Structure formats: C-alpha cells, structure tokens
Amino acid sequence: MNFASNIILGLTTAIQPQNLLFCFVGVVLGTAIGVLPGLGPLATIAMLLPLTFKVASPDAALIMLAGLYYGAQYGGSTTAILVNLPGEPSSIVTALDGYQMARKGRAGTALGIAALSSFFAGTVATAVIAVAAAPLAELAFAFGPAEYFSLMVLGLIAAVVLAQGSILKALAMVVLGLLIGMIGTDVNSGATRFSFGIPQLYDGLDIAVIAIAVFGFAELISLISEAGTQSTTDAPIGRILPDRRELRQAAPAAMRGTIFGSLLGVLPGGGATLSSFVSYAVEKKLSKTPEQFGRGAVAGVAAPEAANNAGAQTSFIPMLTLGLPSNPIMALMIAALMIHGIQPGPQVMTSNPTLFWGLIASMWIGNLMLVVLNLPLIGLWVRMLAIPTRILSPAILMFCAIGAYSMDNSTFNIWISIPLAALGYLWRKLDCEAAPLLLGIVLGPLLEEYLRRAMVLSRGSWTIFVEEPISCTLLAIALVMLVVVALPAVQSQREKAFAE
C-alpha cells in the first residue's frame, strides 16, 4: 500500500462511529484530567487500562487512550493561564506568561493562542508520524537481537539522563524496575524468581496493577494531603481570537516549538514536559525583548504549548514502530496492546494496519475536536476546580480498585497495591521519579529476552554487541550520554535547569 492508501485507510477507520465516540471520550476526559491539578494522564490511563479490554476493540481502546494523553496536555494550559495552577507538568512554563496575560485582561487571547498553537503542532506532528513511521518500521526489521538489546539499553540510559532530580536516584529506580520485571517464572528454565512461594506471583506482577498503585493510589494520597490548595478565578475571559499583531508574534514561536516538540518527543525519556521547557528557553534566548518573558509574552505561551502537544504525539513513533516506550505513558500504551493480544513492534504496521493508521488519523481528528469543543467550555473546566477533595478522592479510589481487581478478577491485585502505593508516595517525598521505574519494568523482560537470543546466536560471545555496527553505535551513544551527564559541570547546569 502506498502512502495515500494508508492515509485513506486510517481516516476510514478513525471515522467509524465507535472510534469517533471513543476519540471524543478520550479528548474530553483528557482535558478534564489536565484541568485538575495533580491528577495526570498517567494515573488515569493506568485506571482505565483494564476497563478498555472489557468495553472496546483494540482500535477504539488505543484511540481513546491516545486522545486522553494529548487532551491532557491541552487541558493543563487552561488552569495554568487562568489561575496560575498548571494541571500538567508540561504546562508549568505556559503559566509563566499565560497567567500574566490573564492578569492584564487578556486571558481569552492567551487561551486562543494556546489552542491554535496546540492544533497547529498536533497537525504537523501527525504528519510527521505518518511520514516517518513506515521508514522506521522498515529499519526495525533490519534489527537483530543484539541491536534491540542495545536500543533498549540506550532507552533506559536516556530515561535516566532526562529524568528530573538526582542521576543516582533515577538509575536506582531503573534497576529496581528491571528487578521487578524479573518476578515470575523464567521461560527457559521454568524456575520461579522473586515469587517467595506465592502462586499469584508465578506469572509476575501486572504492569497495569503496578501503575495503578504507584501513580493512581499514590496520587490519591498526595491529593488528600494537599487538600485545600485548589484555586478558582472570577477574572473575565475577554476576546479569544488573537489579532494580527499577536498572531505575528505567536506564529514563529509556535513553529519552532513544534519542531522542538517533534524531535524531543521521539527521544526516550523526552516527551511533552521536556519539549515545553526547552522551547521556552530557546524563545527567550532568540527574543529581541527577553525582558518581556514572564510578564505576558505571547511567544511564551505559543512555544511551550506547541512543543508539549507535538512532543506528546511524536512520542508514539518509537512505540508504534519499534515497540520501545519513550516515556511511561507509552509503556502503558504497550501494555494496552498486549492486553488486546497484539505484540508491539514493527510488525504492527503489517499485521494490524487498521489499528496503526487509524490511530494516526484519529490524532488529527482529536486535535480538531479539542479546538472546536474546548474553547466554548472554558467556564466549565474552570468550575471543575471547585470540586471538593472529599468528592474527588472516593471516585479516584473506586476507579483504582476496580481497575486493579479487573485485571484478572483477583483481590490479590488490590492487596499488593497497598504496599506499592505506600512506596509510590514515599518515592515522591524522597524526590525519586517513578517514570524510570515503569520503563524498567516494561523493558526488563524484553531486555533479558534479546540478551539471551543474542548470546545464543554468538554462542556465548559478548563481542556480538560491539561487532554489529548498529549495536556498537547505540551502546557508544549510551556510554557517552552517561559519561557526559556525570561530569560535575554538566550536573550543576542540569540541576539548575530543572530547579528553574
């Protein structure tokens, strides 16, 4: 099939009534999740993941979860601009200038710029995915066990390097994730590992249960502990559509933000948050009036909003073409594929073309839905901030418990979630980012599998990883990244950047 035929297939799949409905549910729910501070897409996808197996086809499930992800990036900007309360980490940068614009009576303009920038970035990012997916999938077929092993090592190292906070803590979380991923029965020998004689652990811990506990239940504990910090605003929205001068200021910033987001979203450990921070810093450097940033600069809203939306969408590229998650959200997307009996990797394009191209086409439709639906509903999203914690918390608890139980209809999943939730909350207090842990859990079994395959092919010789050119290059890049980030000067600059 040629490119045009693939796009037509994708659009035909995306506009089916069931898929349109689930796309709509995903973007609306994603916007609502983005508006509510603290309750992010990761925890929500973890809660909904088991339910998608019961109520949706694979196409509809992936379309809904994807819409929830990029919809949350859009929703986070609303409260960031109106009440200086970012609903998502990627919207922290948007709040710097968006809230200042709101204080000057230009809240509607800031929201309009954010919406248009996000739609432009989403359209471009969707095109990038459609164009880049096929060549990358073809390249992936040339990968052997050694190349896949090295690629996953690079992904884990990149997750460590790009994680916030201490490098040692991020590395420790990756190693812990790899160890958790080893729980269960060894496929080759049939011996059980780390099961402690508990039959329910013979098949390992389900990633959805771990995600629900570490991100869902732990999020609930944080929400309860921070009750009373929500804010509301009565500031007038004002004019939504920007004038020509504002569009001239926003357009180049949105274009550059789209480029940064499209590139950084593909990187392991990258995604929406990193893209928004980098694009804002670049715009401030390039601006002829950098002193205006932080005081209501239009470019300070357009660039990060374009970057986080583009980064959120292009992070699907390595997941769809290589079966490699670039961030924890993509790790859950891989889990969603597996729940529906689909093996992630380059074969998805050929074995499930309707899912592959339907998901890509749905991203453009979902971005259009976000623009058409959300600007008129701004008042509704703001009023959601007034939902008291005593109402929100039981609802989250119920969905988390249902999600954990429904994985295999076992109360054991709920009991095991309790200590994991306590650990998740403790990691937050210790500034140990849990994202590398999830990547380690997902990639651990695959890493072991490809390592064993490579060793069988080489008859036990470790030189296979440096003899193969692609494998050697990937390992060299990983080593260079680890050495560079360990340098004292780089560490200090990195800590300063994340602190800002």
Side-chain angles (χ1 to χ4, degrees), residues 62-132:
L62 266 292
I63 286 173
M64 183 185 74
L65 296 178
L68 193 152
Y69 180 35
Y70 57 78
Q73 309 308 318
Y74 183 99
S77 65
T78 301
T79 48
I81 290 170
L82 293 178
V83 294
N84 199 28
L85 196 61
E88 285 299 301
S90 57
S91 301
I92 293 173
V93 184
T94 305
L96 298 177
D97 287 280
Y99 182 61
Q100 294 302 318
M101 290 181 67
R103 292 185 63 186
K104 296 176 181 178
R106 301 168 64 199
T109 302
L111 291 166
I113 289 171
L116 294 175
S117 300
S118 295
F119 178 71
F120 171 77
T123 301
V124 173
T126 303
V128 169
I129 297 173
V131 172

Side-chain angles (χ1 to χ4, degrees), residues 5 7 58 113 169 196 221 258 268 279-280 283 300 309 344 385 388 437 449 482-483 490:
S5 300
I7 294 300
I113 289 171
K169 289 180 180 179
F196 304 103
I221 299 172
T258 301
S279 65
Y280 186 86
E283 286 304 314
N309 199 284
L385 288 171
L437 172 86
E449 179 185 349
L482 205 55
V483 170
V490 176

Side-chain angles (χ1 to χ4, degrees), residues 145-311:
E147 287 82 4
Y148 267 112
F149 172 82
S150 301
L151 179 64
M152 291 178 185
V153 169
L154 175 61
L156 291 174
I157 295 298
V160 169
V161 170
L162 296 175
Q164 298 185 30
S166 167
I167 289 290
L168 287 177
K169 289 180 180 179
L171 187 60
M173 295 298 282
V174 165
V175 172
L176 180 59
L178 293 174
L179 293 174
I180 293 175
M182 294 175 65
I183 295 175
T185 304
D186 178 31
V187 177
N188 288 342
S189 67
T192 56
R193 303 179 297 191
F194 304 120
S195 62
F196 304 103
I198 302 173
Q200 290 89 342
L201 293 181
Y202 288 171
D203 291 329
L205 280 173
D206 195 292
I207 184 176
V209 175
I210 297 172
I212 288 170
V214 174
F215 295 99
F217 283 122
E219 193 71 62
L220 175 62
I221 299 172
S222 296
L223 187 66
I224 294 173
S225 65
E226 297 168 6
T229 60
Q230 293 170 307
S231 304
T232 57
T233 180
D234 296 323
I237 301 299
R239 171 174 53 89
I240 292 179
L241 292 178
D243 57 30
R244 290 185 180 180
R245 181 180 62 84
E246 291 163 337
L247 284 174
R248 284 196 297 269
Q249 294 173 347
M255 290 179 186
R256 286 188 288 266
T258 301
I259 294 172
F260 280 111
S262 299
L263 294 175
L264 294 174
V266 178
L267 296 178
T273 303
L274 179 66
S275 302
S276 63
F277 276 88
V278 170
S279 65
Y280 186 86
V282 170
E283 286 304 314
K284 191 172 181 179
K285 290 286 186 183
L286 295 177
S287 177
K288 296 179 181 178
T289 56
E291 68 279 358
Q292 293 299 318
F293 280 73
R295 299 181 179 178
V298 170
V301 175
E305 280 303 300
N308 68 38
N309 199 284

Side-chain angles (χ1 to χ4, degrees), residues 47 49 147 155 202 302 324 341 370 414 442:
M47 288 187 284
L49 194 57
E147 287 82 4
Y202 288 171
L324 180 70
L370 284 170
I414 297 179
V442 172

